[in-house]
Amino acid sequence: MSMLTPPGMGGKYRITGDRYPRMRRPRNRGRIVVAAVAAVIALGLAGWGTLQLIDVFTGNGKSTSAAVRTTDCKHSPEPSGAPVRPVTLEPGQITVNVYNATPRSGLAKAAADELKKRGFAIGKVGNAPAEYDKKIPGTAILLGAPAATNGPFSVLGTQLKSATTKTDARTTPDVDLILGTAFRTLDAPKDADAALATLANPAPAPSRKC
């Protein structure tokens, strides 16, 4: 008889031996299914990510690499319009007519004398025509034939950068400098000389660097 069997009890209810029954929790099938599904999904995502990396580093990543190279490529701004060409005209090749469109007297002669010192050829000097007299609120107007835009305006403009340009129907190569109300004096000789040097030797067009 076992020690666990109460006195007086026997038969089929008697407990014998030294092993005891153990109770186990019933298995939860729902959790097992969820865990299995999650594992499958994780493996699928890992495989997809691996394929994407392979594509990037093999064939399909070419466009991305090209985009990176394009971004890393450093280049200067592209020049707009026609390439810059040096102006070969000398001041002595340009005949300038100087007209005064202001109420102040003596301006045309003073400006003409200064331009002559700077090497320009001087033509007519006097009061502005009626269509411009006292009608120029700015510093000055450079007036000439359409061909003057290809050189004479640029060279004469170095002496007074604030002057504006205008063309008329003339066919002669001379250029008019019509002084306006805001005119005081020509630009300083050192500034004018620097501007002339830039016209003769323009900076090269910026190039692309990669």
Side-chain angles (χ1 to χ4, degrees), residues 100 126 130 135 181 198 200 205-206 209:
N100 182 8
K135 297 176 183 178
T181 304
T198 301
K209 298 179 181 180

Side-chain angles (χ1 to χ4, degrees), residues 48-73:
W48 180 82
T50 302
L51 291 176
Q52 293 300 314
L53 289 175
I54 292 173
D55 288 342
V56 168
F57 289 103
T58 55
N60 294 336
K62 292 181 179 179
S63 59
T64 303
S65 300
V68 172
R69 287 195 298 270
T70 303
T71 303
D72 293 341
C73 182

Side-chain angles (χ1 to χ4, degrees), residues 89-157:
L89 281 178
E90 296 292 333
Q93 297 175 272
I94 302 173
T95 299
V96 185
N97 305 313
V98 185
Y99 298 110
N100 182 8
T102 77
R104 292 170 288 158
S105 61
L107 287 182
K109 185 178 184 307
D113 291 344
E114 184 60 29
L115 287 175
K116 187 175 181 179
K117 291 179 184 178
R118 299 183 185 188
F120 288 87
I122 303 301
K124 299 177 182 179
V125 179
N127 294 326
E131 60 180 311
Y132 295 105
D133 191 25
K134 302 178 181 62
K135 297 176 183 178
I136 301 177
T139 301
I141 288 179
L142 305 183
L143 183 65
T149 59
N150 295 325
F153 280 172
S154 298
V155 176
L156 183 56

Side-chain angles (χ1 to χ4, degrees), residues 7 9-10 18 24 26-27 29 35 41 44 49 64 92 111 117 122 128 134 150 171 185:
M9 293 188 66
D18 55 358
R24 294 183 179 178
R27 295 183 179 180
R29 294 183 178 179
I41 293 175
T64 303
K117 291 179 184 178
I122 303 301
K134 302 178 181 62
N150 295 325
T171 57
T185 183

